[in-house]
Amino acid sequence: MWIKSARIVDPGQQLDFTGNIHIEKGKIKAVEKASSPMPGTMHEEVIDARGLWVFPGIIDMHAHLREPGYEYKEDVYTGSLAAAAGGVTTVVCMANTEPINDNPSVTKYILDKAEEAGLVRILPAGAVTKGQEGKVLSEMGLMKKAGIVAVSDDGKPVEDTSIMRRALEYAATFGLLLISHCEDRRLSEAGVMNEGALSSELGLPGIPSAAEEVMVARDTIISSYTSCPVHITHVSTQGSLEIIRNAKAKGIKVSCDVTPHHLLLDETRLYDYDTNAKMYPPLRTGADRKALLQGLASGVIDVIASDHAPHARDEKDLDFDVAPFGAIGLQTLLPAVLRLHFDYGLGLMQVLSLVTVNPARLLGIDGGTLKPGSRADITIVDPSTNWTLSEDMIMSKSKNSPFLGETFRGEVVYTICNGQIVYRKNGI
Ligand SMILES: [Zn+2]
Ligand SMILES: [Zn+2]
């Protein structure tokens, strides 16, 4: 297959030029400037990509696909459809399923479902502790053999500091990144939104920024003490970012991601009590959001990940204080990243690195680049199209997006995974 005359942007190789890509047997064979002659044979497919942008396939290192156990919210197949439609070719799925992915048989079950779906690459994260109960470490080595690429008790923090220390050391021996959901549950308690003036005004119980920050501080201290890496997921406050910036400056092996919703929305989104904007961590203040945007520009933030968290309509239709936390995001991850480029003046290469080469490096997986010899995972976008997110275009089983009704610039027109077209926009 050939992709012809596209703007090719690959942060991993710092490439940005107009050219052609040759794909053979699921791998990138060559990337050439447009001036080079393009051989191609009769039986090869050619995508005419004039005016289109071509990126390495997008990697989402934090999503919940809900299978096994919560298939009424999402399953591996519908999650794969949503990913493909969003230009995402690799999804890391969290372990808080039912049963929890804390042993190789659950890992294998998820991978079998992913193969059945046959669309995008699904890479499971295993639980840090058995049953995500925070007491006994899971079978990380056996799960790694079965195919996990990271460990996380996401959905919950690892509360016991001694367990966290041993988990970091154990995960490091297997080269598994530990993804930490930072929450002091004594502080977050019954909170449902950011604690502050607005939570008082709306009459909703608050979650203080300190509930996140004390755990970010703890994790970086333990990481420093053990010299083992830790990855802080869904960073939402200015204070957390400051702790991470200081830790990085000292050479501590800490990395972090933020979500599109924390970058593009703040707590004022909750004036209408829309439960689609209820998530953990909660949307924070305008000042926090500004700090996160600055963190992107300064390079403290390593990755943008969706924290795709589907919930059924009847669950989200409850009152704000009892509805579950979480928002979907697989289909809006890349559109949000493009908005950061178009509307916030961040470099295209820079924002793309946060969803391609950076997560690939942190997880130690292949992909995330268009280097010859790599997996042919490719996302093609039409940068000239504006489109508005509506429920009928959401491929997930659940429709709980805080971006419904919002207009984005740049539309995915092709998603190619392992050399196969897994999504093609209607009419193309
Ligand atoms: Zn979480
Ligand atoms: Zn999550």
Side-chain angles (χ1 to χ4, degrees):
M1 187 198 293
W2 282 89
I3 300 165
K4 195 179 136 187
S5 308
R7 177 182 177 190
I8 299 167
V9 185
D10 180 9
Q13 301 182 86
Q14 292 289 304
L15 297 183
D16 185 350
F17 59 65
T18 302
N20 308 320
I21 299 181
H22 193 191
I23 299 165
E24 205 176 75
K25 295 186 184 118
K27 303 251 187 250
I28 310 264
K29 195 166 180 223
V31 179
E32 309 160 340
K33 290 216 169 162
S35 54
S36 2
M38 202 190 62
T41 57
M42 294 263 289
H43 49 268
E44 278 180 316
E45 181 164 2
V46 175
I47 295 175
D48 180 355
R50 270 173 296 180
L52 304 180
W53 292 358
V54 174
F55 311 141
I58 304 304
I59 298 172
D60 187 351
M61 72 179 280
H62 187 149
H64 299 267
L65 298 183
R66 305 300 192 202
E67 190 176 8
Y70 304 100
E71 290 85 350
Y72 69 96
K73 297 176 194 261
E74 187 83 288
D75 58 38
V76 170
Y77 177 65
T78 55
S80 299
L81 283 175
V88 174
T89 56
T90 297
V91 179
V92 175
C93 60
M94 290 296 148
N96 60 342
T97 48
E98 175 55 44
I100 283 163
N101 184 16
D102 62 2
N103 68 78
S105 65
V106 179
T107 306
K108 197 176 170 305
Y109 178 86
I110 296 166
L111 288 170
D112 285 348
K113 288 288 170 184
E115 203 183 318
E116 245 171 67
L119 293 166
V120 301
R121 177 168 60 160
I122 307 287
L123 300 173
V128 173
T129 61
K130 283 192 179 154
Q132 292 191 322
E133 285 172 354
K135 293 180 184 135
V136 180
L137 294 183
S138 65
E139 299 163 352
M140 293 184 196
L142 293 175
M143 285 194 289
K144 168 143 187 178
K145 273 198 192 121
I148 64 163
V149 295
V151 286
S152 182
D153 272 357
D154 183 61
K156 289 177 180 177
V158 176
E159 290 184 316
D160 184 319
T161 308
S162 153
I163 295 282
M164 186 60 163
R165 176 216 175 145
R166 285 172 44 219
L168 282 181
E169 290 170 339
Y170 197 47
T173 62
F174 298 109
L176 289 166
L177 188 67
L178 192 152
I179 299 173
S180 181
H181 163 120
C182 287
E183 175 180 8
D184 181 322
R185 292 201 290 186
R186 291 294 182 90
L187 280 175
S188 59
E189 244 191 321
V192 296
M193 68 169 287
N194 182 53
E195 181 173 280
L198 189 63
S199 63
S200 308
E201 188 186 332
L202 297 180
L204 292 170
I207 301 171
S209 52
E212 176 177 314
E213 289 157 7
V214 292
M215 290 299 256
V216 173
R218 180 201 74 168
D219 285 357
T220 55
I221 289 165
I222 299 294
S223 164
S224 169
Y225 186 74
T226 58
S227 299
C228 296
V230 67
H231 180 86
I232 313 293
T233 191
H234 50 52
V235 169
S236 72
T237 77
Q238 188 170 9
S240 296
L241 215 55
E242 256 167 52
I243 296 164
I244 293 165
R245 184 186 303 109
N246 291 335
K248 282 187 167 192
K250 286 188 202 151
I252 297 169
K253 297 175 195 162
V254 57
S255 54
C256 69
D257 67 69
V258 292
T259 71
H261 44 264
H262 290 106
L263 288 165
L264 299 180
L265 306 171
D266 66 36
E267 60 178 0
T268 59
R269 178 69 177 70
L270 297 179
Y271 269 118
D272 61 358
Y273 297 87
D274 179 0
T275 56
N276 288 345
K278 178 182 177 183
M279 63 280 287
Y280 188 88
L283 296 175
R284 300 289 189 181
T285 65
D288 289 308
R289 183 168 93 90
K290 206 171 145 202
L292 296 181
L293 289 165
Q294 281 165 354
L296 287 184
S298 71
V300 180
I301 293 165
D302 300 278
V303 170
I304 300 177
S306 73
D307 198 1
H308 177 80
H311 291 294
R313 192 180 302 275
D314 58 339
E315 295 171 310
K316 278 291 193 180
D317 271 351
L318 299 170
D319 283 339
F320 193 89
D321 50 344
V322 290
F325 291 91
I328 57 168
L330 276 168
Q331 261 175 279
T332 44
L333 173 62
L334 178 57
V337 163
L338 291 174
R339 184 184 285 186
L340 292 167
H341 168 61
F342 289 126
D343 296 356
Y344 292 81
L346 290 155
L348 185 57
M349 186 90 80
Q350 187 187 7
V351 288
L352 280 176
S353 68
L354 302 168
V355 285
T356 56
V357 61
N358 289 7
R361 275 186 195 147
L362 280 172
L363 295 163
I365 57 172
D366 57 345
T369 174
L370 299 172
K371 219 176 186 159
S374 349
R375 295 170 55 88
D377 290 355
I378 295 170
T379 300
I380 307 182
V381 163
D382 180 349
S384 65
T385 316
N386 287 296
W387 57 279
T388 302
L389 183 70
S390 61
E391 280 199 8
D392 60 306
M393 59 175 75
I394 292 176
M395 306 302 287
S396 287
K397 272 188 199 171
S398 299
K399 315 294 174 191
N400 53 309
S401 169
F403 296 118
L404 281 169
E406 288 215 24
T407 297
F408 292 93
R409 178 175 165 197
E411 191 175 28
V412 175
V413 287
Y414 284 97
T415 305
I416 297 167
C417 187
N418 218 8
Q420 303 297 317
I421 295 174
V422 293
Y423 173 80
R424 181 194 297 252
K425 188 185 150 1
N426 279 344
I428 290 220

